[in-house]
Amino acid sequence: MKTANNITFIDTLDKINGGNWPKHVEAKNPFEQYAFLTALEKSQSVSSKQGWIPHHLISTDACDIKAIMPMYLKSHSWGEYVFDWDWAEVFRQHGVEYYPKLVATTPFTPVTSNKILSQALQLNELIPQLTQHCLTENIHSWHILYIDKISTVLPDDVYQRNTVQFHWFNRDYQDFQHFLASFTSRKRKNTQKERASIKQQGIKIRQRKGAQITSQELDFFYLVYQLTYLKRGHQPHLSFEFFQQIVETMSDNILLNIASVDDEDVACALFFYDNSQLYGRYWGCTKPYKNLHFELCYYQGIEFCIANKLQRFNPGTQGEHKIQRGFEPILTYSYHWIKHQPFRAAIKDFCKQEQRHMQQYLQQCQQALPFKCTD
């Protein structure tokens, strides 16, 4: 279906020639690549059954595609990491429909990016079209999650939300010890003690880049990936077929850390990486070991960044325990429009209060960093 200004919404990326994808878009991270996004669809990890219906925005000119914004119609709020469950509950209590909603994000992937896969189009140009599309198609809201901060003035009915993540930054460290030298003595000793406990428990760790991952190792990874969700009473978001596909099609972007004891594999952590960043994504274990999560998911990742001269390590959402291990707080941004006018004032007020709270929380986290004070 088409709206004004050559904006089209499509229900599958198969309608775009994958061989021409680099012409159409400028992927800034692995999660914006055609291989990643189509693997989500082909593996049925996103589908109507999962409550993630592809509804991608395509902007065209007379000759070609100018821009793509991956979007999904949602019947729930799972897998987004910018939580609006309370909003949905208030709507339900008042007998007002909250779903379906239209969400611009990479499913299950809270990584900040432009979201519009092109420099030819800016978000403020799309806002009127997105709003009109929702009104025309009876979609109750749109949400653009984990996007670069918008510097232009927003319309009165578009609201900004913030969350805090913790990222590691490479300040030209020569090795892990050079990084630890920036810590205060007490924090440095704590990290050294945590790392020493891995050897004391007889844990060995091996790294596998995409093409090196064997079928047995991938089987084990998916086993512990499932266990992580099942322990919380949830089903995993991503299918085994999804991981099979990306290991084959994105081998230059995937890193798997595997921990073993007495030649028995006990834990895995899977990462993505590009030329500048490492992204921690999935972790799981069969048995609990002291400090293994910190070693496998954080310290090994930091060492990989230093060795490969990557500038940033995004280990995922939440987790104040990351602060004392050298991960610094940053603000993330998302933008929201709600169709139901009677609730707009309350939601706008909520977002403003949340912004103030997140700013205060950011400052508190900065004060808890383990680094030595510098003038």
Side-chain angles (χ1 to χ4, degrees), residues 213-223 240 243-244 247:
I213 300 171
T214 68
S215 59
Q216 292 83 3
E217 289 169 338
L218 188 61
D219 286 343
F220 176 72
F221 160 74
Y222 197 71
L223 168 67
F240 181 67
F243 291 105
Q244 283 182 310
V247 166

Side-chain angles (χ1 to χ4, degrees), residues 18-193:
N20 293 332
W21 186 259
K23 281 176 53 182
H24 300 327
V25 306
E26 299 177 15
K28 299 299 185 182
N29 60 58
F31 315 108
E32 296 178 342
Q33 291 185 24
Y34 184 82
F36 187 90
L37 293 166
T38 54
L40 288 169
E41 294 184 13
K42 291 178 179 179
S43 68
Q44 293 294 294
S45 297
V46 297
S47 64
S48 58
K49 181 180 178 181
Q50 303 298 330
W52 287 82
I53 302 175
H55 197 74
H56 308 303
L57 183 152
I58 310 296
S59 174
T60 59
D61 59 19
C63 302
D64 206 350
I65 293 177
K66 291 199 306 179
I68 300 171
M69 179 183 281
M71 303 191 80
Y72 302 85
L73 287 170
K74 296 290 303 299
S75 57
H76 56 69
S77 295
W78 292 108
E80 298 173 18
Y81 305 99
V82 178
F83 302 114
D84 61 353
W85 293 107
D86 289 344
W87 297 6
E89 176 60 19
V90 170
F91 274 58
R92 187 195 65 80
Q93 291 175 358
H94 287 79
V96 180
E97 295 289 339
Y98 188 73
Y99 304 104
K101 62 180 184 177
L102 183 60
V103 182
T105 190
T106 304
F108 326 118
T109 309
V111 172
T112 293
S113 65
N114 187 38
K115 292 298 182 289
I116 306 171
L117 306 189
S118 171
Q119 295 300 318
L121 199 63
Q122 300 301 315
L123 179 59
N124 61 321
E125 301 175 63
L126 283 180
I127 286 177
Q129 285 87 350
L130 280 175
T131 301
Q132 185 57 49
H133 180 68
C134 289
L135 291 170
T136 302
E137 299 299 322
N138 198 30
I139 300 168
H140 299 298
S141 59
W142 59 251
H143 310 259
I144 303 175
L145 311 182
Y146 294 100
I147 190 170
D148 297 330
K149 182 180 180 181
I150 298 175
S151 57
T152 56
V153 177
L154 294 171
D156 288 341
D157 57 354
V158 175
Y159 314 126
Q160 175 185 300
R161 296 189 68 186
N162 297 118
T163 66
V164 170
Q165 289 184 344
F166 303 96
H167 293 189
W168 179 87
F169 296 90
N170 190 350
R171 295 186 168 86
D172 296 323
Y173 298 117
Q174 301 305 305
D175 53 31
F176 195 87
Q177 291 307 313
H178 186 201
F179 162 60
L180 274 191
S182 65
F183 281 26
T184 63
S185 175
R186 184 170 63 87
K187 296 295 185 181
R188 181 168 61 250
K189 289 178 180 177
N190 182 69
T191 297
Q192 291 169 334
K193 183 178 179 181

Side-chain angles (χ1 to χ4, degrees), residues 231-274:
K231 288 173 183 176
R232 298 185 176 96
H234 301 301
Q235 292 295 316
H237 294 305
L238 300 167
S239 69
F240 181 67
E241 290 74 20
F242 168 78
F243 291 105
Q244 283 182 310
Q245 288 184 49
I246 61 169
V247 166
E248 180 179 342
T249 60
M250 301 182 66
S251 60
D252 291 339
N253 299 108
I254 293 175
L255 172 70
L256 183 66
N257 287 343
I258 308 169
S260 61
V261 177
D262 297 330
D263 296 323
E264 177 188 356
D265 291 341
V266 297
C268 276
L270 187 140
F271 305 78
F272 288 79
Y273 65 96
D274 53 30

